[in-house]
Amino acid sequence: QVQLVESGGGSVQAGGSLRLSCAASGSTDSYNCIGWFRQVPGKGREGIATLNHASGGTDYADSGKGRFTISQDNVKKTVYLEMNSLKPEDTAMYYCAADVVRSPYLCTPRYSFMYWGQGTQVTVSS
Protein backbone atom coordinates (compact mmCIF):
# COMPACT_ATOMS: atom_id res chain seq x y z
CA GLN A 1 0.00 0.00 0.00
CA VAL A 2 0.97 3.63 -0.38
CA GLN A 3 -0.06 6.58 1.74
CA LEU A 4 -0.31 10.03 0.17
CA VAL A 5 -0.25 13.35 1.99
CA GLU A 6 -0.86 16.61 0.14
CA SER A 7 0.29 20.03 1.29
CA GLY A 8 0.90 23.50 -0.07
CA GLY A 9 -2.65 24.67 -0.59
CA GLY A 10 -3.85 28.06 0.57
CA SER A 11 -5.38 31.33 -0.48
CA VAL A 12 -3.89 33.38 -3.28
CA GLN A 13 -4.97 36.25 -5.48
CA ALA A 14 -5.69 35.77 -9.14
CA GLY A 15 -2.50 35.72 -11.17
CA GLY A 16 -0.52 34.22 -8.31
CA SER A 17 1.23 30.88 -8.00
CA LEU A 18 1.23 27.92 -5.67
CA ARG A 19 3.20 24.70 -5.51
CA LEU A 20 1.40 21.67 -4.15
CA SER A 21 3.30 18.71 -2.75
CA CYS A 22 2.28 15.08 -2.47
CA ALA A 23 4.47 12.99 -0.19
CA ALA A 24 4.25 9.24 -0.72
CA SER A 25 5.10 6.69 1.94
CA GLY A 26 4.95 2.92 1.97
CA SER A 27 6.11 0.54 -0.67
CA THR A 28 7.19 2.14 -3.93
CA ASP A 29 6.13 -1.12 -5.55
CA SER A 30 2.57 -0.03 -4.80
CA TYR A 31 2.54 2.59 -7.53
CA ASN A 32 4.15 3.50 -10.82
CA CYS A 33 1.75 6.25 -11.83
CA ILE A 34 0.78 9.29 -9.77
CA GLY A 35 -1.53 12.16 -10.59
CA TRP A 36 -3.20 15.35 -9.47
CA PHE A 37 -6.95 15.94 -9.46
CA ARG A 38 -9.31 18.59 -8.19
CA GLN A 39 -12.92 18.77 -7.11
CA VAL A 40 -15.38 21.55 -6.45
CA PRO A 41 -18.35 20.83 -4.16
CA GLY A 42 -21.28 19.61 -6.20
CA LYS A 43 -19.14 18.71 -9.21
CA GLY A 44 -17.26 15.65 -10.29
CA ARG A 45 -13.56 15.12 -9.82
CA GLU A 46 -11.40 16.57 -12.59
CA GLY A 47 -8.08 15.16 -13.68
CA ILE A 48 -5.20 17.61 -14.10
CA ALA A 49 -1.96 15.75 -14.78
CA THR A 50 -0.22 12.42 -14.30
CA LEU A 51 3.39 11.32 -14.07
CA ASN A 52 4.98 7.95 -14.75
CA HIS A 53 7.17 7.28 -11.73
CA ALA A 54 9.82 5.28 -13.59
CA SER A 55 10.21 7.26 -16.80
CA GLY A 56 9.13 10.70 -15.60
CA GLY A 57 6.76 10.91 -18.55
CA THR A 58 3.81 13.23 -18.05
CA ASP A 59 0.31 13.67 -19.39
CA TYR A 60 -1.96 16.67 -18.96
CA ALA A 61 -5.68 17.12 -19.20
CA ASP A 62 -6.93 20.32 -20.78
CA SER A 63 -7.40 21.76 -17.28
CA GLY A 64 -3.68 21.44 -16.61
CA LYS A 65 -2.12 22.41 -19.91
CA GLY A 66 -0.14 25.62 -20.10
CA ARG A 67 -0.32 26.83 -16.50
CA PHE A 68 0.31 23.71 -14.41
CA THR A 69 3.43 21.52 -14.25
CA ILE A 70 3.74 18.12 -12.58
CA SER A 71 7.16 16.93 -11.44
CA GLN A 72 8.76 14.58 -8.94
CA ASP A 73 11.66 14.29 -6.53
CA ASN A 74 12.47 10.59 -6.37
CA VAL A 75 14.75 10.97 -3.37
CA LYS A 76 12.04 12.68 -1.35
CA LYS A 77 9.31 10.47 -2.86
CA THR A 78 7.34 13.61 -3.48
CA VAL A 79 5.35 14.75 -6.48
CA TYR A 80 4.68 18.42 -7.09
CA LEU A 81 2.09 20.45 -8.94
CA GLU A 82 3.34 23.90 -9.84
CA MET A 83 0.40 26.18 -10.59
CA ASN A 84 0.90 29.57 -12.23
CA SER A 85 -1.39 32.38 -13.37
CA LEU A 86 -4.09 31.10 -11.07
CA LYS A 87 -7.70 32.02 -11.74
CA PRO A 88 -10.74 32.08 -9.43
CA GLU A 89 -12.10 29.06 -11.31
CA ASP A 90 -9.06 27.08 -10.10
CA THR A 91 -10.55 27.21 -6.60
CA ALA A 92 -11.05 23.60 -5.52
CA MET A 93 -9.85 20.81 -3.27
CA TYR A 94 -6.76 19.30 -4.86
CA TYR A 95 -5.94 15.62 -4.46
CA CYS A 96 -3.08 13.40 -5.48
CA ALA A 97 -3.61 9.78 -6.38
CA ALA A 98 -1.42 6.79 -7.15
CA ASP A 99 -1.71 3.28 -8.54
CA VAL A 100 0.06 0.53 -10.43
CA VAL A 101 -0.76 0.63 -14.12
CA ARG A 102 -0.02 -2.26 -16.48
CA SER A 103 1.19 0.00 -19.25
CA PRO A 104 2.67 3.51 -19.26
CA TYR A 105 -0.01 4.41 -21.81
CA LEU A 106 -2.58 3.97 -19.04
CA CYS A 107 -0.93 6.60 -16.84
CA THR A 108 -3.29 9.41 -17.79
CA PRO A 109 -5.66 11.77 -15.93
CA ARG A 110 -8.52 9.54 -17.11
CA TYR A 111 -7.27 6.51 -15.19
CA SER A 112 -9.24 5.32 -12.16
CA PHE A 113 -6.70 5.44 -9.33
CA MET A 114 -6.81 3.28 -6.22
CA TYR A 115 -4.89 5.32 -3.63
CA TRP A 116 -5.88 8.87 -2.70
CA GLY A 117 -4.67 11.53 -0.35
CA GLN A 118 -6.89 13.64 1.90
CA GLY A 119 -6.64 16.74 -0.26
CA THR A 120 -5.45 20.31 0.14
CA GLN A 121 -7.66 23.35 -0.44
CA VAL A 122 -6.75 26.02 -2.98
CA THR A 123 -8.70 29.27 -2.99
CA VAL A 124 -8.08 31.93 -5.63
CA SER A 125 -9.65 35.33 -5.09
CA SER A 126 -10.29 37.89 -7.80
Side-chain angles (χ1 to χ4, degrees), residues 8-54:
S11 297
V12 64
Q13 287 190 330
S17 300
L18 281 175
R19 187 177 77 161
L20 306 183
S21 300
C22 174
S25 61
S27 173
T28 55
D29 293 336
S30 298
Y31 69 97
N32 57 12
C33 177
I34 194 162
W36 282 99
F37 298 77
R38 65 186 182 186
Q39 188 168 20
V40 175
K43 294 188 177 182
R45 193 159 48 205
E46 179 183 29
I48 301 171
T50 52
L51 183 145
N52 182 293
H53 181 63

Side-chain angles (χ1 to χ4, degrees), residues 65-121:
K65 290 179 181 177
R67 298 183 296 121
F68 295 177
T69 303
I70 189 171
S71 63
Q72 67 177 343
D73 183 326
N74 284 336
V75 174
K76 295 182 179 180
K77 294 175 65 176
T78 299
V79 173
Y80 303 99
L81 184 69
E82 186 77 33
M83 305 187 295
N84 298 310
S85 301
L86 284 164
K87 306 174 182 179
E89 50 264 44
D90 294 318
T91 295
M93 185 71 80
Y94 284 71
Y95 298 90
C96 68
D99 207 338
V100 177
V101 297
R102 295 189 302 273
S103 164
Y105 299 105
L106 294 176
C107 187
T108 77
R110 294 167 297 282
Y111 186 81
S112 181
F113 286 80
M114 177 176 293
Y115 303 109
W116 291 84
Q118 83 289 349
T120 185
Q121 177 68 37

